[in-house]
Amino acid sequence: MADSTNPQAFAARLEKLAAAYSKRLADDFSHLTMLAGQLEEDPSCTQSLQQLHAALHSLAGSAGTFGFVQLGRQAREQELQVAQNLEQPCNDKQPLPVFEWITALQKALKTDESKKSAIRIETSRAESVGGEPVIWLVERDTMLAEYMVQQLHSFGFHIRHLLNAEALADDKNSSPDLLLIDHRASQLEALRADPVTFWQQHLKDFTCPVLFIGSEESFTARLNALRSGGQSYFVKPLDMINLASYMAQLIKTKDTVPERVMVVEDDEELAQHLQGVLEEAGMHVTVLDRADALFEAMHDANPELILMDLWLPDVTGTEMAALLRQVEQWAQVPIVYLSSHFNSELRDQALLKGGDAFLEKPIDPDLLINLCRSRVKQRRKLEDTQNRDSLTGLLKHASIKEALDYQWQLTQRKPQPFSVVMLDIDHFKAVNDTHGHAMGDVVIAAVGTLLRQRFRSTDRLGRYGGEEFTLVLVDCTADHAERMVNNLREDFAAIQFTGGGNPFACTLSAGVVDNQHFPDDTAESLLNRADQALYQAKNSGRNRVCLAID
Amino acid sequence: MDTLKRVMYVEDDDDIRLVACMALEDVGGLTVKACSSGEQALRDVEAFAPQMFLLDVMMPGMDGPSTLLELSRQGYITEATAVAFMTAKVHPEEVVRYKKLGATDVIAKPFDPMTLADDVRSIWKAFNGRLN
């Protein structure tokens, strides 16, 4: 820094500029809102899309400099989506949820403002490529690395290969979502002398999970990996499916689905306060201020937890709870009462009628967040053991059908495209006969991992039975679904299974249908159409995806 | 190697231009000619005779790459002139593309005002190291 400059004065000037910038943001937001309006009228208007792209690009490039880091990042993500949308042919454009985006931007701005962050940007940023998690593989054996890159790519991981541990220090500007490291990935003497210190030193700047791989199956190798900061140690030859599944779980747990909470409260200010606190903690919150709209609101928001005011006009919270408990679908949703008139008799009565916990007003924000989080977590865990298939982690037969019914009912009230996919492993019986049932299970588990890796957390993925799978893809037309399933099919075909030493590959066939082409269909008949399309894919040679036709 | 003094900076966003100028002048002690468009840069380049250009990539009208092309067509980019693009897109492929266009390096947006001048100087150093 030049001697003539007083750093404090400089910082003060920067702060003034940042204040001026945040005023300008108001104009930027109204510009975005205007564009959102135009795009709602005509989602494929190229001119509006280009303007939107330019506006988001400018936000992405400038916000971080003034300390609005989240805002800049959010804008960057959206900018990429607009860029993708612009590349699509006109008749194939999906409308972009620009109004939702603006809300997200405003929320990010709020977060930034609340942090009152000093003016600087973060030096490391995950370099996710199109949303795919980025893995850095440190492996000296280039042949093995090439094979791993190809195999893991099939599972939807973007792999960057580094030749040795020294290369980890080369790129200071980006960071991976996960590190996969051969524990002998350097010829430096320091590694041989003291591997634990060596790796601790080389990994000190990384915050992501680390997995070690190596050819030694020994207690020392595992212990060293653990002490070096590794979450696990995988022995070569690597079981790629097992490894991919482990990696998928490690990465997935980082971006969990937001908890859906409904606040039933007629005090508008309190409701807004609760909503603010919970949204700040990353949850989705809906507020209901009228008791008589309860069932509709439940349908729309499908909450995982209800915060219920004990005293509403005309009806008590306990009565509301009792009503919910009468409907099977909602009988299990946890209810937490909010009350200022707190006494033990009332509490027992309320708990007896189907409440799960009490919170006394004024409500402690931390307690509120923790309580909501832990209740939803418990609930999800319970649901998972009841509804999920243990081999694949996908929904069981009954649950995927239920999910389809739910989606169908939702779109009856709020029109939105969704697709149903039936998917089946080709010649699966031959896999079982040739390689044994254990190997057959591996193939099924691989499909499960691949599906969970490839689709959004809002999509519903199920194992329909045996080697058959059902997907319900939300906000997705059949054309789009066909493309995605086709990519999945190609990736699956590239996965090498090694059964008893003989490597083999499997293929998939699939049938796809969406609700827009068949608006009069019931959920059941959509499923039948997807099944017929699957049958057609099988009949016309397998290893393909067919669309349902009239 | 000459010390870096004169930097021409082309950026359409007023707020960003202001903050970058402050960073380069006050923190870095550089002399900066700030332009709000490629067109303005072409008008002012003769008089200012910059040693280095900083160009925003995405601008309405003439964007960064076409400004660079026009500057070099008119002979303002010599062997001794360094050029850095500033952009929010720093995919490796893009960096390669910008370098093919004649850029010395790429500065990622959003930048940190406290370190921008250092970044510019180290690009200048690396550029001259390559020449020698």
Side-chain angles (χ1 to χ4, degrees), chain A residues 97-141:
Chain A
V98 187
F99 281 114
E100 280 174 46
W101 286 2
I102 294 173
T103 313
L105 288 173
Q106 271 158 345
K107 213 168 122 190
L109 175 63
K110 243 196 218 160
T111 314
D112 285 330
E113 280 172 340
S114 70
K115 278 184 192 149
K116 296 224 188 330
S117 46
I119 299 177
R120 58 178 308 276
I121 59 156
E122 283 177 45
T123 44
S124 92
R125 100 199 96 83
E127 59 166 33
S128 294
V129 175
E132 285 182 2
V134 177
I135 317 287
W136 289 7
L137 167 66
V138 187
E139 170 64 63
R140 282 170 53 213
D141 181 344

Tab-separated table of all heavy atoms in Angstrom, chain A residues 97-141:
chain	number	residue	atom	x	y	z
A	97	PRO	N	-38.440	-18.843	-13.273
A	97	PRO	CA	-39.166	-18.309	-12.101
A	97	PRO	C	-38.534	-17.005	-11.614
A	97	PRO	O	-38.001	-16.942	-10.525
A	97	PRO	CB	-39.008	-19.426	-11.073
A	97	PRO	CG	-37.727	-20.098	-11.443
A	97	PRO	CD	-37.552	-19.940	-12.928
A	98	VAL	N	-38.621	-15.955	-12.413
A	98	VAL	CA	-37.878	-14.735	-12.108
A	98	VAL	C	-38.352	-14.065	-10.817
A	98	VAL	O	-37.554	-13.565	-10.038
A	98	VAL	CB	-37.948	-13.742	-13.287
A	98	VAL	CG1	-37.037	-12.554	-13.029
A	98	VAL	CG2	-37.527	-14.430	-14.576
A	99	PHE	N	-39.673	-14.099	-10.589
A	99	PHE	CA	-40.161	-13.492	-9.342
A	99	PHE	C	-39.590	-14.216	-8.120
A	99	PHE	O	-39.199	-13.591	-7.144
A	99	PHE	CB	-41.694	-13.494	-9.304
A	99	PHE	CG	-42.297	-12.380	-10.124
A	99	PHE	CD1	-43.043	-12.655	-11.262
A	99	PHE	CD2	-42.110	-11.063	-9.764
A	99	PHE	CE1	-43.584	-11.634	-12.032
A	99	PHE	CE2	-42.648	-10.027	-10.513
A	99	PHE	CZ	-43.385	-10.315	-11.663
A	100	GLU	N	-39.546	-15.537	-8.211
A	100	GLU	CA	-38.937	-16.300	-7.104
A	100	GLU	C	-37.473	-15.924	-6.930
A	100	GLU	O	-36.968	-15.825	-5.821
A	100	GLU	CB	-39.022	-17.797	-7.386
A	100	GLU	CG	-40.365	-18.416	-7.076
A	100	GLU	CD	-40.398	-19.868	-7.520
A	100	GLU	OE1	-39.429	-20.614	-7.231
A	100	GLU	OE2	-41.379	-20.247	-8.177
A	101	TRP	N	-36.821	-15.714	-8.064
A	101	TRP	CA	-35.405	-15.352	-8.015
A	101	TRP	C	-35.217	-14.034	-7.281
A	101	TRP	O	-34.299	-13.883	-6.486
A	101	TRP	CB	-34.837	-15.225	-9.434
A	101	TRP	CG	-34.625	-16.541	-10.098
A	101	TRP	CD1	-34.907	-17.772	-9.593
A	101	TRP	CD2	-34.084	-16.758	-11.398
A	101	TRP	NE1	-34.568	-18.742	-10.501
A	101	TRP	CE2	-34.068	-18.146	-11.625
A	101	TRP	CE3	-33.602	-15.921	-12.403
A	101	TRP	CZ2	-33.597	-18.718	-12.796
A	101	TRP	CZ3	-33.127	-16.475	-13.565
A	101	TRP	CH2	-33.126	-17.862	-13.770
A	102	ILE	N	-36.089	-13.088	-7.603
A	102	ILE	CA	-35.945	-11.775	-6.983
A	102	ILE	C	-36.099	-11.905	-5.466
A	102	ILE	O	-35.338	-11.320	-4.694
A	102	ILE	CB	-36.968	-10.790	-7.574
A	102	ILE	CG1	-36.645	-10.546	-9.050
A	102	ILE	CG2	-36.951	-9.474	-6.812
A	102	ILE	CD1	-37.655	-9.726	-9.801
A	103	THR	N	-37.068	-12.728	-5.059
A	103	THR	CA	-37.228	-12.961	-3.621
A	103	THR	C	-35.951	-13.533	-3.024
A	103	THR	O	-35.503	-13.115	-1.956
A	103	THR	CB	-38.386	-13.961	-3.380
A	103	THR	OG1	-39.494	-13.552	-4.178
A	103	THR	CG2	-38.781	-13.989	-1.931
A	104	ALA	N	-35.359	-14.487	-3.753
A	104	ALA	CA	-34.115	-15.100	-3.257
A	104	ALA	C	-32.995	-14.065	-3.176
A	104	ALA	O	-32.218	-14.047	-2.223
A	104	ALA	CB	-33.709	-16.252	-4.174
A	105	LEU	N	-32.949	-13.174	-4.170
A	105	LEU	CA	-31.919	-12.131	-4.163
A	105	LEU	C	-32.118	-11.196	-2.979
A	105	LEU	O	-31.176	-10.813	-2.300
A	105	LEU	CB	-31.967	-11.319	-5.469
A	105	LEU	CG	-31.479	-12.016	-6.729
A	105	LEU	CD1	-31.757	-11.159	-7.954
A	105	LEU	CD2	-29.996	-12.322	-6.648
A	106	GLN	N	-33.387	-10.852	-2.743
A	106	GLN	CA	-33.660	-9.942	-1.631
A	106	GLN	C	-33.281	-10.573	-0.308
A	106	GLN	O	-32.751	-9.908	0.585
A	106	GLN	CB	-35.138	-9.525	-1.631
A	106	GLN	CG	-35.352	-8.284	-2.479
A	106	GLN	CD	-36.777	-8.128	-2.951
A	106	GLN	OE1	-37.568	-9.072	-2.893
A	106	GLN	NE2	-37.114	-6.942	-3.428
A	107	LYS	N	-33.532	-11.883	-0.238
A	107	LYS	CA	-33.175	-12.593	0.985
A	107	LYS	C	-31.661	-12.610	1.167
A	107	LYS	O	-31.145	-12.387	2.266
A	107	LYS	CB	-33.714	-14.030	0.901
A	107	LYS	CG	-34.131	-14.565	2.238
A	107	LYS	CD	-34.915	-15.831	2.085
A	107	LYS	CE	-34.246	-16.950	2.841
A	107	LYS	NZ	-34.812	-18.242	2.559
A	108	ALA	N	-30.955	-12.850	0.070
A	108	ALA	CA	-29.489	-12.872	0.125
A	108	ALA	C	-28.967	-11.496	0.545
A	108	ALA	O	-28.047	-11.393	1.357
A	108	ALA	CB	-28.927	-13.259	-1.239
A	109	LEU	N	-29.602	-10.465	0.013
A	109	LEU	CA	-29.188	-9.105	0.365
A	109	LEU	C	-29.367	-8.873	1.860
A	109	LEU	O	-28.504	-8.314	2.533
A	109	LEU	CB	-30.013	-8.090	-0.441
A	109	LEU	CG	-29.789	-6.622	-0.109
A	109	LEU	CD1	-28.362	-6.212	-0.412
A	109	LEU	CD2	-30.751	-5.734	-0.901
A	110	LYS	N	-30.505	-9.349	2.362
A	110	LYS	CA	-30.783	-9.203	3.796
A	110	LYS	C	-29.706	-9.898	4.623
A	110	LYS	O	-29.210	-9.354	5.607
A	110	LYS	CB	-32.149	-9.841	4.114
A	110	LYS	CG	-33.165	-8.845	4.633
A	110	LYS	CD	-34.297	-9.623	5.278
A	110	LYS	CE	-35.649	-9.002	5.024
A	110	LYS	NZ	-36.728	-9.971	5.220
A	111	THR	N	-29.374	-11.128	4.206
A	111	THR	CA	-28.337	-11.876	4.921
A	111	THR	C	-27.028	-11.095	4.924
A	111	THR	O	-26.373	-10.963	5.952
A	111	THR	CB	-28.095	-13.230	4.229
A	111	THR	OG1	-29.355	-13.818	3.960
A	111	THR	CG2	-27.285	-14.158	5.101
A	112	ASP	N	-26.678	-10.569	3.754
A	112	ASP	CA	-25.428	-9.806	3.656
A	112	ASP	C	-25.472	-8.587	4.561
A	112	ASP	O	-24.509	-8.284	5.256
A	112	ASP	CB	-25.192	-9.363	2.212
A	112	ASP	CG	-24.727	-10.516	1.337
A	112	ASP	OD1	-24.067	-11.423	1.876
A	112	ASP	OD2	-25.018	-10.510	0.139
A	113	GLU	N	-26.612	-7.900	4.523
A	113	GLU	CA	-26.712	-6.686	5.324
A	113	GLU	C	-26.618	-7.003	6.801
A	113	GLU	O	-25.981	-6.276	7.567
A	113	GLU	CB	-28.030	-5.958	5.019
A	113	GLU	CG	-27.952	-5.159	3.748
A	113	GLU	CD	-29.299	-4.580	3.330
A	113	GLU	OE1	-30.347	-5.084	3.786
A	113	GLU	OE2	-29.296	-3.635	2.534
A	114	SER	N	-27.245	-8.114	7.180
A	114	SER	CA	-27.248	-8.450	8.603
A	114	SER	C	-25.844	-8.805	9.078
A	114	SER	O	-25.501	-8.638	10.233
A	114	SER	CB	-28.216	-9.599	8.877
A	114	SER	OG	-27.698	-10.777	8.341
A	115	LYS	N	-25.045	-9.322	8.148
A	115	LYS	CA	-23.684	-9.668	8.551
A	115	LYS	C	-22.812	-8.423	8.619
A	115	LYS	O	-21.747	-8.446	9.214
A	115	LYS	CB	-23.084	-10.658	7.562
A	115	LYS	CG	-23.515	-12.080	7.843
A	115	LYS	CD	-22.822	-13.024	6.900
A	115	LYS	CE	-23.459	-14.392	6.980
A	115	LYS	NZ	-23.396	-15.119	5.736
A	116	LYS	N	-23.272	-7.367	7.966
A	116	LYS	CA	-22.493	-6.130	7.897
A	116	LYS	C	-21.035	-6.440	7.606
A	116	LYS	O	-20.110	-5.970	8.262
A	116	LYS	CB	-22.593	-5.358	9.218
A	116	LYS	CG	-23.979	-4.882	9.561
A	116	LYS	CD	-23.911	-3.447	10.052
A	116	LYS	CE	-25.216	-2.914	10.599
A	116	LYS	NZ	-26.435	-3.398	10.082
A	117	SER	N	-20.871	-7.250	6.605
A	117	SER	CA	-19.533	-7.790	6.351
A	117	SER	C	-18.582	-6.684	5.901
A	117	SER	O	-18.961	-5.742	5.236
A	117	SER	CB	-19.616	-8.850	5.266
A	117	SER	OG	-20.404	-8.383	4.212
A	118	ALA	N	-17.367	-6.811	6.319
A	118	ALA	CA	-16.333	-5.891	5.856
A	118	ALA	C	-16.196	-6.049	4.354
A	118	ALA	O	-16.563	-7.070	3.793
A	118	ALA	CB	-15.015	-6.226	6.538
A	119	ILE	N	-15.672	-5.014	3.697
A	119	ILE	CA	-15.615	-5.065	2.247
A	119	ILE	C	-14.475	-5.947	1.787
A	119	ILE	O	-13.330	-5.548	1.731
A	119	ILE	CB	-15.470	-3.664	1.665
A	119	ILE	CG1	-16.693	-2.850	2.072
A	119	ILE	CG2	-15.325	-3.699	0.173
A	119	ILE	CD1	-16.627	-1.445	1.616
A	120	ARG	N	-14.809	-7.172	1.520
A	120	ARG	CA	-13.848	-8.079	0.910
A	120	ARG	C	-14.605	-9.305	0.414
A	120	ARG	O	-15.712	-9.577	0.827
A	120	ARG	CB	-12.763	-8.500	1.902
A	120	ARG	CG	-13.267	-9.189	3.178
A	120	ARG	CD	-12.116	-9.601	4.031
A	120	ARG	NE	-11.167	-10.366	3.255
A	120	ARG	CZ	-11.266	-11.663	3.027
A	120	ARG	NH1	-12.281	-12.350	3.470
A	120	ARG	NH2	-10.342	-12.300	2.344
A	121	ILE	N	-14.006	-9.990	-0.512
A	121	ILE	CA	-14.653	-11.195	-0.991
A	121	ILE	C	-13.915	-12.401	-0.473
A	121	ILE	O	-12.776	-12.316	-0.028
A	121	ILE	CB	-14.693	-11.256	-2.533
A	121	ILE	CG1	-13.276	-11.202	-3.072
A	121	ILE	CG2	-15.539	-10.156	-3.095
A	121	ILE	CD1	-13.140	-11.795	-4.432
A	122	GLU	N	-14.588	-13.522	-0.516
A	122	GLU	CA	-13.930	-14.742	-0.096
A	122	GLU	C	-12.947	-15.182	-1.166
A	122	GLU	O	-13.182	-15.004	-2.344
A	122	GLU	CB	-14.967	-15.833	0.114
A	122	GLU	CG	-15.698	-15.660	1.412
A	122	GLU	CD	-16.775	-16.707	1.558
A	122	GLU	OE1	-16.494	-17.877	1.273
A	122	GLU	OE2	-17.876	-16.325	1.937
A	123	THR	N	-11.846	-15.733	-0.722
A	123	THR	CA	-10.844	-16.124	-1.704
A	123	THR	C	-11.116	-17.506	-2.277
A	123	THR	O	-10.658	-17.840	-3.343
A	123	THR	CB	-9.438	-16.123	-1.088
A	123	THR	OG1	-9.530	-16.751	0.179
A	123	THR	CG2	-8.920	-14.720	-0.935
A	124	SER	N	-11.854	-18.304	-1.579
A	124	SER	CA	-12.109	-19.628	-2.124
A	124	SER	C	-13.582	-19.780	-2.430
A	124	SER	O	-14.432	-19.286	-1.724
A	124	SER	CB	-11.674	-20.708	-1.137
A	124	SER	OG	-12.741	-21.076	-0.313
A	125	ARG	N	-13.850	-20.439	-3.536
A	125	ARG	CA	-15.252	-20.659	-3.851
A	125	ARG	C	-15.346	-22.008	-4.528
A	125	ARG	O	-14.478	-22.377	-5.316
A	125	ARG	CB	-15.761	-19.493	-4.687
A	125	ARG	CG	-15.864	-19.636	-6.146
A	125	ARG	CD	-15.933	-18.246	-6.761
A	125	ARG	NE	-14.606	-17.861	-7.174
A	125	ARG	CZ	-14.072	-18.236	-8.337
A	125	ARG	NH1	-14.767	-18.950	-9.154
A	125	ARG	NH2	-12.856	-17.896	-8.662
A	126	ALA	N	-16.354	-22.754	-4.181
A	126	ALA	CA	-16.498	-24.074	-4.781
A	126	ALA	C	-16.708	-23.884	-6.271
A	126	ALA	O	-17.388	-22.971	-6.696
A	126	ALA	CB	-17.689	-24.807	-4.174
A	127	GLU	N	-16.081	-24.728	-7.058
A	127	GLU	CA	-16.123	-24.458	-8.484
A	127	GLU	C	-17.130	-25.345	-9.206
A	127	GLU	O	-16.890	-25.787	-10.313
A	127	GLU	CB	-14.735	-24.624	-9.091
A	127	GLU	CG	-14.132	-25.993	-8.900
A	127	GLU	CD	-12.933	-26.215	-9.806
A	127	GLU	OE1	-12.211	-25.234	-10.071
A	127	GLU	OE2	-12.740	-27.348	-10.248
A	128	SER	N	-18.259	-25.601	-8.554
A	128	SER	CA	-19.275	-26.463	-9.138
A	128	SER	C	-19.540	-26.129	-10.600
A	128	SER	O	-19.762	-24.996	-10.954
A	128	SER	CB	-20.576	-26.330	-8.351
A	128	SER	OG	-20.379	-26.839	-7.072
A	129	VAL	N	-19.506	-27.134	-11.413
A	129	VAL	CA	-19.719	-26.961	-12.836
A	129	VAL	C	-21.156	-27.336	-13.140
A	129	VAL	O	-21.523	-28.488	-13.021
A	129	VAL	CB	-18.761	-27.869	-13.635
A	129	VAL	CG1	-19.059	-27.780	-15.110
A	129	VAL	CG2	-17.332	-27.482	-13.347
A	130	GLY	N	-21.953	-26.369	-13.492
A	130	GLY	CA	-23.354	-26.626	-13.798
A	130	GLY	C	-24.050	-27.383	-12.695
A	130	GLY	O	-24.867	-28.248	-12.942
A	131	GLY	N	-23.728	-27.099	-11.452
A	131	GLY	CA	-24.395	-27.749	-10.338
A	131	GLY	C	-23.810	-29.105	-9.970
A	131	GLY	O	-24.125	-29.650	-8.936
A	132	GLU	N	-22.967	-29.663	-10.836
A	132	GLU	CA	-22.379	-30.956	-10.496
A	132	GLU	C	-21.313	-30.750	-9.433
A	132	GLU	O	-20.534	-29.809	-9.490
A	132	GLU	CB	-21.706	-31.559	-11.727
A	132	GLU	CG	-22.679	-32.115	-12.725
A	132	GLU	CD	-21.960	-32.747	-13.910
A	132	GLU	OE1	-20.718	-32.766	-13.911
A	132	GLU	OE2	-22.647	-33.224	-14.810
A	133	PRO	N	-21.260	-31.650	-8.446
A	133	PRO	CA	-20.209	-31.524	-7.448
A	133	PRO	C	-18.835	-31.735	-8.100
A	133	PRO	O	-18.695	-32.557	-9.003
A	133	PRO	CB	-20.502	-32.647	-6.455
A	133	PRO	CG	-21.652	-33.396	-6.961
A	133	PRO	CD	-22.134	-32.801	-8.227
A	134	VAL	N	-17.864	-30.993	-7.637
A	134	VAL	CA	-16.522	-31.097	-8.204
A	134	VAL	C	-15.616	-31.857	-7.253
A	134	VAL	O	-15.501	-31.525	-6.086
A	134	VAL	CB	-15.936	-29.704	-8.460
A	134	VAL	CG1	-14.516	-29.811	-8.978
A	134	VAL	CG2	-16.807	-28.954	-9.443
A	135	ILE	N	-15.019	-32.917	-7.754
A	135	ILE	CA	-14.116	-33.734	-6.951
A	135	ILE	C	-12.705	-33.552	-7.497
A	135	ILE	O	-12.511	-33.589	-8.703
A	135	ILE	CB	-14.460	-35.241	-7.089
A	135	ILE	CG1	-15.954	-35.483	-7.037
A	135	ILE	CG2	-13.686	-36.069	-6.097
A	135	ILE	CD1	-16.586	-35.336	-5.740
A	136	TRP	N	-11.770	-33.356	-6.615
A	136	TRP	CA	-10.378	-33.379	-7.055
A	136	TRP	C	-9.796	-34.729	-6.695
A	136	TRP	O	-9.874	-35.168	-5.538
A	136	TRP	CB	-9.569	-32.280	-6.358
A	136	TRP	CG	-9.900	-30.902	-6.824
A	136	TRP	CD1	-10.898	-30.537	-7.676
A	136	TRP	CD2	-9.246	-29.696	-6.440
A	136	TRP	NE1	-10.895	-29.174	-7.844
A	136	TRP	CE2	-9.898	-28.634	-7.102
A	136	TRP	CE3	-8.172	-29.404	-5.609
A	136	TRP	CZ2	-9.508	-27.313	-6.952
A	136	TRP	CZ3	-7.784	-28.087	-5.454
A	136	TRP	CH2	-8.434	-27.048	-6.129
A	137	LEU	N	-9.211	-35.362	-7.697
A	137	LEU	CA	-8.599	-36.663	-7.501
A	137	LEU	C	-7.085	-36.501	-7.565
A	137	LEU	O	-6.552	-36.026	-8.565
A	137	LEU	CB	-9.088	-37.621	-8.598
A	137	LEU	CG	-8.332	-38.939	-8.740
A	137	LEU	CD1	-8.534	-39.811	-7.517
A	137	LEU	CD2	-8.792	-39.678	-9.988
A	138	VAL	N	-6.396	-36.864	-6.487
A	138	VAL	CA	-4.939	-36.781	-6.484
A	138	VAL	C	-4.397	-38.201	-6.630
A	138	VAL	O	-4.516	-39.016	-5.713
A	138	VAL	CB	-4.423	-36.142	-5.177
A	138	VAL	CG1	-2.923	-35.911	-5.271
A	138	VAL	CG2	-5.142	-34.835	-4.908
A	139	GLU	N	-3.869	-38.503	-7.794
A	139	GLU	CA	-3.494	-39.891	-8.105
A	139	GLU	C	-2.339	-39.881	-9.093
A	139	GLU	O	-2.425	-39.261	-10.142
A	139	GLU	CB	-4.722	-40.611	-8.687
A	139	GLU	CG	-4.459	-41.980	-9.284
A	139	GLU	CD	-3.987	-42.989	-8.257
A	139	GLU	OE1	-4.748	-43.289	-7.329
A	139	GLU	OE2	-2.822	-43.465	-8.380
A	140	ARG	N	-1.237	-40.553	-8.758
A	140	ARG	CA	-0.067	-40.543	-9.645
A	140	ARG	C	-0.233	-41.494	-10.817
A	140	ARG	O	0.354	-41.295	-11.873
A	140	ARG	CB	1.197	-40.886	-8.857
A	140	ARG	CG	1.708	-39.692	-8.043
A	140	ARG	CD	2.799	-40.102	-7.086
A	140	ARG	NE	3.864	-40.830	-7.781
A	140	ARG	CZ	4.572	-41.806	-7.237
A	140	ARG	NH1	4.353	-42.179	-5.998
A	140	ARG	NH2	5.501	-42.425	-7.928
A	141	ASP	N	-1.014	-42.539	-10.623
A	141	ASP	CA	-1.232	-43.509	-11.696
A	141	ASP	C	-2.253	-42.936	-12.688
A	141	ASP	O	-3.453	-42.937	-12.433
A	141	ASP	CB	-1.756	-44.810	-11.070
A	141	ASP	CG	-2.002	-45.892	-12.108
A	141	ASP	OD1	-2.060	-45.568	-13.310
A	141	ASP	OD2	-2.146	-47.057	-11.696
